[in-house]
Amino acid sequence: MANSSPILIVGAGTTGLAMACELARHGAPVRIIDQQSSINPHCRACSVHARTLEIFHDFGIVDEILAQGHKVLGMSQYANGERFMHSSGSEIDSPYPFTVNLEQCKTEAALERLLSSYDIEVERETELVATSGLPDGVSATIRRGNSSDEVVETPWLIGCDGAHSRVRHLNHLHFPGKEDLHQYCLADVLVESTLAHDEIHTFMGDRGLLFSSRYRTGGG
């Protein structure tokens, strides 16, 4: 297989996009596919930590992330209404000793814009349907919507397609560990509060846990 054959990344969430950007900035040819038609517009993951900010500095997008996000300098925990623990990021050995709250969709958009600057576009509504091994790589069959299949020969197939990874299932790879049986609800809401806006607040009570953190665009 020619060394110039693109590396194929399956999954264009934050992990896949970051992998594609890292490879592209070092001159590696890349293709990246995703089943979704566009970036998921919902909040989902929202905390960008110090080491990730350092990586985004290397990518050249950290200022964009900081401008869009909300800086979090610490965390407070409460039990039955009383605060019992407070921590700050001051002990973090990093140029960015804090967390930035930013909706995952905005992080993905920043990474996708960076990837576009390398003339690489996410191939959306495209899924991996089959794989087979080659002496020096992988043969991958991909499908766009209802169109005919395309067979791609790639030196590396990188699975960044989440907990129900098609890459992992096709290769009969197990995902060790146990399922977390706790149920959580994530909501973007407007709240009037006297709590510090530059902290994450965790409330523990007899009925469960409540996490509260603020975005630049709304309540905390």
Side-chain angles (χ1 to χ4, degrees), residues 44-49 52 72 99-104 200 213 215:
R44 298 179 294 156
C46 59
S47 294
V48 183
H49 298 288
T52 305
V72 176
T99 296
V100 171
N101 278 354
L102 183 66
E103 299 93 320
Q104 182 174 333
I200 294 174
S213 60
Y215 301 105

Side-chain angles (χ1 to χ4, degrees), residues 110-189:
L111 288 168
E112 191 163 343
R113 285 191 293 271
L114 174 61
L115 195 59
S116 294
S117 73
Y118 295 107
D119 295 323
I120 299 171
E121 302 296 331
V122 177
E123 299 176 43
R124 296 200 173 274
E125 298 184 78
T126 302
E127 63 177 326
L128 177 72
V129 294
T131 64
S132 60
L134 297 173
D136 55 352
V138 178
S139 176
T141 303
I142 61 176
R143 179 178 299 153
R144 291 186 183 85
N146 296 321
S147 64
S148 59
D149 296 348
E150 176 189 355
V151 177
V152 177
E153 293 188 356
T154 177
W156 295 96
L157 174 66
I158 303 178
C160 300
D161 47 344
H164 303 286
S165 169
R166 179 72 60 80
V167 173
R168 191 174 68 252
H169 290 163
L170 287 172
N171 288 278
H172 307 290
L173 300 174
H174 297 291
F175 190 69
K178 296 181 179 179
E179 181 181 359
D180 185 352
L181 299 179
H182 293 89
Q183 292 185 337
Y184 297 90
C185 178
L186 176 66
D188 298 335
V189 297

Side-chain angles (χ1 to χ4, degrees), residues 34-113:
D34 195 275
Q35 291 190 56
Q36 303 301 315
S37 60
S38 62
I39 293 174
N40 186 319
H42 300 100
C43 169
R44 298 179 294 156
C46 59
S47 294
V48 183
H49 298 288
R51 180 56 186 143
T52 305
L53 292 170
E54 293 175 17
I55 294 170
F56 287 170
H57 175 272
D58 293 342
F59 283 1
I61 62 171
V62 70
D63 289 341
E64 179 181 356
I65 297 296
L66 293 175
Q68 292 188 77
H70 176 75
K71 190 180 293 185
V72 176
L73 303 179
M75 172 183 286
S76 289
Q77 293 189 7
Y78 308 79
N80 297 315
E82 297 293 329
R83 188 169 84 167
F84 69 89
M85 191 280 286
H86 176 264
S87 63
S88 70
S90 59
E91 70 276 8
I92 299 175
D93 183 15
S94 171
Y96 308 98
F98 47 79
T99 296
V100 171
N101 278 354
L102 183 66
E103 299 93 320
Q104 182 174 333
C105 56
K106 294 181 179 179
T107 302
E108 290 180 6
L111 288 168
E112 191 163 343
R113 285 191 293 271

